[in-house]
Amino acid sequence: MASSGSGLTFKLHPLVIVNISDHYTRVKSQMNTPSSCCSAPSPCALSNDADVADSVDPTTSPPAPRVYGCVVGVQRGRTVEIFNSFELLYDPKTQSLDRTFLEKKQELC
C-alpha cells in the first residue's frame, strides 16, 4: 500500500508484480535466443576460436518490441486497488490493439 502527495492511496496486489515480471522475463529470454548461425552445424558452431564470439556485435540486435498491457482494479473514494493485469496484443501493421482479445480477457476478470 502506498500513499501519494495528492491524498490517494494505492494498493497493488502481488499478482500484478508477478505477471509483469514474468512477461518481462519471457520477452527478454526470447530476445536472447541463439542466432540461426549457431543453431545448425556450421563453422561458427564448430569453432573454438574466441575471435568468432568477439565478432558478434551486441549493438546490432533488433530493438525490443513494445509491450502493452492492461491493469484491472477498482477505485473506491480516494483508494485505488489494482488486483490483476494481462498483456495486450498489438498489431504494428494497423497500429492498434486487438479489441476482441481485450474484451475476452475482460470477460474472464
Side-chain angles (χ1 to χ4, degrees), residues 32-83:
N32 293 331
T33 58
S35 67
S36 61
C37 159
C38 295
S39 63
S42 67
C44 173
L46 300 175
S47 174
N48 289 330
D49 193 2
D51 293 334
V52 173
D54 292 339
S55 67
V56 176
D57 185 7
T59 60
T60 60
S61 63
R66 191 142 232 194
V67 177
Y68 293 89
C70 181
V71 292
V72 181
V74 294
Q75 179 177 359
R76 291 184 196 99
R78 310 253 334 138
T79 300
V80 177
E81 183 175 6
I82 301 171
F83 49 82

Side-chain angles (χ1 to χ4, degrees), residues 6 10 15 17 22-23 26-27 29 33 38 42 78 83 85 90 92 95 97 105-106 108:
S6 66
F10 296 94
L15 177 62
I17 297 169
D22 176 61
H23 185 74
R26 282 186 285 119
V27 168
S29 69
T33 58
C38 295
S42 67
R78 310 253 334 138
F83 49 82
S85 64
Y90 176 74
Q95 296 184 347
L97 298 172
K105 286 290 207 172
Q106 284 177 320
L108 293 173

Side-chain angles (χ1 to χ4, degrees), residues 9-29:
T9 301
F10 296 94
K11 295 179 180 180
L12 182 62
H13 288 239
L15 177 62
V16 177
I17 297 169
V18 170
N19 287 345
I20 293 170
S21 175
D22 176 61
H23 185 74
Y24 175 82
T25 303
R26 282 186 285 119
V27 168
K28 276 301 243 192
S29 69

